[in-house]
Amino acid sequence: MCGIVGYIGKQNTKEILINGLKELEYRGYDSAGIAVLQDNKLDTFKATGKIKNLEEKLSNSTLNTQQLMPNIGIGHTRWATHGKPTELNAHPHLGEYSCVVHNGIIENYKDLKEELENVGYKFVSQTDTEIIVHLFEFYFDKNNNAKKAFIQTIKRLEGAYSILLITKKEPNKIFFIKHGSPLAIAKGNNDGEVLFASSDAPLIGLANDVVYLDDDICGIADENGIDFFNAIDSKPLTPTFETLPNSKQSAQKNGHRFFMEKEIYEQSDVVVESMLGRVNDENILFDEIDKGITDNINEIKICACGTSYHAGLTASYLFERLSKIRCSIEIASEFRYKEPLLTKDTLFVAISQSGETADTLEALKMAKNAGLKTLVVCNVDNSSMTRIADFTILTRAGIEKGVASTKAFSTQTVVLWMMALYFAKQKNVISNDVLKKEILTLKKVPDSLKVENKIHEKCVRLSKRYLHGHGFFFIGRDVFFPLALEGALKLKEISYLHAEGYPAGEMKHGPIALADPELFTIALMPQHLHYEKIKSNVEELSARDSTICAISPLDFELADDFIKTKKTDHYMLEFFEMLIALQLLSMEISIRLGNDVDMPRNLAKSVTVE
Ligand code: M6R
């Protein structure tokens, strides 16, 4: 996830771009850059790290002087996906006379790069983005028509992207396209002003009317107006402008009440980014890891904390079931001091949203020092863990602001499931048919993660009924056991109510003694995995008068309350359907209790101390 901005107008372009990027910093901040075009001179400024580093750099540049006030510019704040967060890889990317910023991923960039290299184009970065500017110039040099060249360029791109391009050949114009990644365009408050941004927060205060572009709308803007057309058939379009929200906070939250709510709602989109370039119809691809990563590996050991541990526990089922590799999982703070036996035929997998959690980081160092192959599944590139591990797979969830992890968990689980399939293929233990079916299912995950109004409304209603009592048990079997743990963790961290996750079959070995009407059982009852077994476990609790809230696609007559999820054809899709219900239920209970949903008491987003 990255953020892009663009500006045409007579105000201080540098200031507008920088302020806009600051509003988008939550989308990524490992490097940033702007480009301005004035007097037919194209200047770019880039810096690694946060926007303030770029700002410092700019304060020493000629751009700071009034007489050089530019009137057209584009900017970018980056969340690295291809290539390290260096200045060379930072956007904007330059050609000979043009310049581009891009949010998204160009899946076929390798083929396009090879094609362009074969006709003499030189690349300076490791990014997928740089091909866009060279491809544009390649077509422009052929037909001397910028609009045509832009359309020809975007027709060649596969993946998800929103792009802003400026060129000395048409020095007053910004070329734009939206396909998969967000892009908003606004008419500024001053005459002839046009503004672009990945979300509306940078536009607030500078404009009143905005268009949130639909996919495959592209166009050209200058101070005389904006031409919109369809990227597929080039037909002109007239999108409807709407009124911008007037608060930046609510714009950053996309109109949601809390960042947690926004992050729950955006899971359906971010998992698409987690899969981009990594899934085709027949195979799973991870360019970032060695093809032979599982050679001589007889065991996978996963280590993590909190929610990441729950994603790891889910993966431990999938690694054994799909990849046929023995898998164990440890809580990082326990692993560090248990004097673990580490053997070199073990692949050590650390999972961490932040890449900075002290216990997981130390566990990773221990494994590395013991000579194990190490891999980290992480959301933050260039974090301490990604710098240490032999291999990194980024989850690409974008910045998660709510302390309670939501999209970090769903993206981790999707990536780990893809890894299980990838390893299975490497080890030749999965048939092509089964792999294809799993891939088809994977592609349905975004749909399962879409929040349905009726589920959200149900959680709002249920939240009233679960504010008292002496505690909650979340129960499930198989991968629904880690999901139960995650449901319980979500509830306790933001509602401060006591909740435990338990394997359903284990309740009768002790915890069932607690059962009475004041004990709330949240039962995860998937249709496609051990339904009959979990059903009898729930019946046992119901017989002892526990209040049952069943989450299931199947009706269950003994339930006191019921959240009915959509019917699907695979237990992993049920997993994601139920995840949404669990996240919403805890959030609504927390809201009803008047708690600070995004910053619950006693917690921190990143736990960098032991
Ligand atoms: O950044 P990490 O994934 O390593 O963080 C691990 C835990 O601290 C984190 O998942 C924590 O449990 C969350 N607050 C859960 O919502």
Side-chain angles (χ1 to χ4, degrees):
M1 212 161 77
C2 305
I4 62 178
V5 289
Y7 178 69
I8 299 171
K10 297 201 174 73
Q11 291 187 67
N12 188 327
T13 305
K14 178 199 83 176
E15 236 171 71
I16 289 184
L17 294 177
I18 291 291
N19 290 341
L21 290 178
K22 282 184 186 162
E23 296 292 340
L24 297 179
E25 209 166 22
Y26 72 94
R27 300 177 65 87
Y29 46 75
D30 59 43
S31 58
I34 63 168
V36 288
L37 184 53
Q38 56 174 8
D39 300 334
N40 218 27
K41 207 165 142 272
L42 192 50
D43 287 310
T44 55
F45 301 85
K46 304 182 186 191
T48 54
K50 296 202 161 187
I51 314 286
K52 68 173 173 13
N53 300 352
L54 177 66
E55 211 174 3
E56 264 166 42
K57 217 167 178 180
L58 275 161
S59 63
N60 303 321
S61 81
T62 49
L63 254 188
N64 213 22
T65 58
Q66 282 301 107
Q67 69 271 28
L68 284 180
M69 195 100 85
N71 66 4
I72 185 164
I74 53 179
H76 187 272
T77 179
R78 181 166 186 251
W79 182 270
T81 56
H82 292 78
K84 297 231 167 298
T86 58
E87 256 184 48
L88 265 188
N89 288 333
H91 300 214
H93 287 285
L94 269 172
E96 216 181 297
Y97 46 82
S98 317
C99 182
V100 72
V101 291
H102 158 226
N103 169 28
I105 291 172
I106 308 298
E107 293 185 83
N108 60 337
Y109 82 101
K110 282 194 183 145
D111 296 343
L112 293 171
K113 186 169 179 179
E114 202 180 308
E115 194 180 311
L116 289 163
E117 278 174 339
N118 287 342
V119 290
Y121 284 86
K122 298 264 177 295
F123 285 77
V124 294
S125 77
Q126 301 157 306
T127 63
D128 51 339
T129 302
E130 197 185 345
I131 59 112
I132 302 169
V133 69
H134 295 313
L135 200 57
F136 170 79
E137 294 191 350
F138 168 76
Y139 285 121
F140 185 86
D141 291 345
K142 279 190 160 181
N143 53 35
N144 203 26
N145 179 323
K147 179 176 172 183
K148 244 189 189 168
F150 187 65
I151 292 177
Q152 282 172 306
T153 302
I154 56 190
K155 286 212 159 123
R156 301 288 313 278
L157 306 179
E158 288 168 20
Y161 43 85
S162 55
I163 295 169
L164 300 179
L165 181 142
I166 54 179
T167 176
K168 286 192 206 170
K169 303 292 179 185
E170 296 272 7
N172 305 318
K173 297 189 161 112
I174 293 184
F175 294 76
F176 60 90
I177 165 86
K178 184 234 186 263
H179 175 88
S181 307
L183 185 61
I185 305 185
K187 290 180 195 158
N189 292 338
N190 302 307
D191 257 7
E193 261 183 344
V194 184
L195 296 112
F196 297 83
S198 296
S199 82
D200 45 20
L203 311 173
I204 291 167
L206 300 173
N208 285 325
D209 299 325
V210 66
V211 179
Y212 303 93
L213 290 184
D214 285 332
D215 272 350
D216 295 318
I217 296 191
C218 65
I220 306 170
D222 64 18
E223 58 184 342
N224 301 315
I226 312 165
D227 285 337
F228 295 94
F229 44 94
N230 185 310
I232 298 161
D233 57 17
S234 303
K235 287 208 175 116
L237 296 167
T238 325
T240 323
F241 279 80
E242 50 188 284
T243 309
L244 264 170
N246 50 18
S247 125
K248 287 196 192 240
Q249 261 285 318
S250 94
Q252 272 203 347
K253 291 180 191 157
N254 260 350
H256 291 288
R257 296 165 292 173
F258 298 96
F259 281 106
M260 182 185 181
E261 186 175 53
K262 168 181 168 279
E263 286 155 8
I264 293 172
Y265 272 75
E266 72 190 14
Q267 290 176 104
S268 167
D269 290 330
V270 288
V271 291
V272 174
E273 303 231 10
S274 310
M275 286 190 249
L276 263 181
R278 292 171 171 166
V279 189
N280 64 27
D281 290 343
E282 311 199 326
N283 232 330
I284 304 287
L285 318 150
F286 280 114
D287 285 348
E288 54 275 73
I289 58 180
D290 252 9
K291 284 223 160 49
I293 191 163
T294 51
D295 292 353
N296 308 318
I297 291 297
N298 291 316
E299 185 180 344
I300 296 174
K301 187 173 280 296
I302 304 176
C303 218
C305 302
T307 287
S308 298
Y309 171 80
H310 300 152
L313 188 55
T314 309
S316 70
Y317 289 84
L318 300 176
F319 284 147
E320 296 210 345
R321 182 168 297 144
L322 297 167
S323 339
K324 310 286 178 222
I325 306 176
R326 196 182 320 125
C327 183
S328 57
I329 163 131
E330 312 249 8
I331 289 179
S333 54
E334 286 299 308
F335 172 83
R336 287 177 63 187
Y337 298 105
K338 69 184 282 200
E339 298 176 29
L341 294 178
L342 298 174
T343 52
K344 294 203 173 130
D345 62 349
T346 301
L347 171 67
F348 185 89
V349 177
I351 307 173
S352 174
Q353 187 283 129
S354 60
E356 303 295 346
T357 301
D359 284 317
T360 315
L361 181 61
E362 286 311 312
L364 174 64
K365 286 183 191 160
M366 275 171 67
K368 178 108 184 173
N369 291 340
L372 270 61
K373 238 187 236 179
T374 55
L375 185 156
V376 60
V377 174
C378 189
N379 193 31
V380 182
D381 200 8
N382 211 28
S383 56
S384 303
M385 286 183 217
T386 65
R387 288 200 297 266
I388 289 172
D390 299 317
F391 304 102
T392 295
I393 298 186
L394 292 176
T395 49
R396 305 178 186 158
I399 291 177
E400 192 180 58
K401 283 206 168 182
V403 164
S405 257
T406 50
K407 59 179 180 166
F409 179 75
S410 46
T411 52
Q412 284 167 345
T413 309
V414 162
V415 162
L416 289 158
W417 179 13
M418 289 195 286
M419 280 168 60
L421 295 170
Y422 179 86
F423 292 163
K425 178 78 180 167
Q426 301 306 310
K427 291 227 137 202
N428 226 352
V429 293
I430 192 166
S431 71
N432 287 340
D433 274 358
V434 175
L435 181 58
K436 267 192 196 168
K437 275 190 200 139
E438 288 280 317
I439 288 175
L440 266 179
T441 312
L442 252 176
K443 291 184 176 172
K444 293 182 194 162
V445 172
D447 195 45
S448 290
L449 282 169
K450 271 204 181 104
V451 178
E452 284 187 37
N453 277 344
K454 72 172 196 307
I455 298 280
H456 197 162
E457 278 159 18
K458 186 75 196 238
C459 292
V460 173
R461 260 185 290 136
L462 286 181
S463 66
K464 286 185 222 157
R465 306 188 43 176
Y466 289 104
L467 303 177
H468 60 288
H470 56 74
F472 288 77
F473 266 93
F474 287 69
I475 59 167
R477 299 182 82 115
D478 202 285
V479 291
F480 294 87
F481 160 50
L483 186 60
L485 289 174
E486 176 59 11
L489 176 63
K490 281 298 84 85
L491 185 69
K492 63 188 137 193
E493 69 184 325
I494 58 174
S495 74
Y496 321 140
L497 297 172
H498 180 76
E500 270 189 74
Y502 233 77
E506 195 57 20
M507 289 297 283
K508 60 170 92 58
H509 297 286
I512 204 166
L514 291 167
D516 68 19
E518 300 299 295
L519 176 82
F520 304 135
T521 300
I522 313 288
L524 307 181
M525 305 179 69
Q527 178 183 8
H528 297 295
L529 203 63
H530 315 312
Y531 182 75
E532 290 305 324
K533 302 259 175 237
I534 176 95
K535 195 169 156 221
S536 7
N537 300 141
V538 181
E539 279 163 3
E540 287 154 13
L541 278 151
S542 169
R544 283 150 188 92
D545 279 343
S546 171
T547 300
I548 309 287
C549 173
I551 308 185
S552 179
L554 301 181
D555 291 325
F556 178 58
E557 62 284 359
L558 293 180
D560 299 284
D561 285 307
F562 193 59
I563 302 179
K564 190 160 188 172
T565 50
K566 226 178 32 237
K567 279 204 177 173
T568 63
D569 52 9
H570 194 290
Y571 67 90
M572 282 308 288
L573 298 178
E574 301 186 284
F575 180 99
F576 290 109
E577 299 266 346
M578 290 184 193
L579 171 65
I580 292 284
L582 291 172
Q583 292 169 339
L584 290 171
L585 184 63
S586 31
M587 184 187 75
E588 290 303 337
I589 291 178
S590 169
I591 293 174
R592 207 165 280 279
L593 290 168
N595 297 343
D596 186 338
V597 172
D598 286 331
M599 279 187 266
R601 71 183 184 203
N602 304 341
L603 297 178
K605 185 67 192 158
S606 186
V607 185
T608 51
V609 290
E610 213 185 312

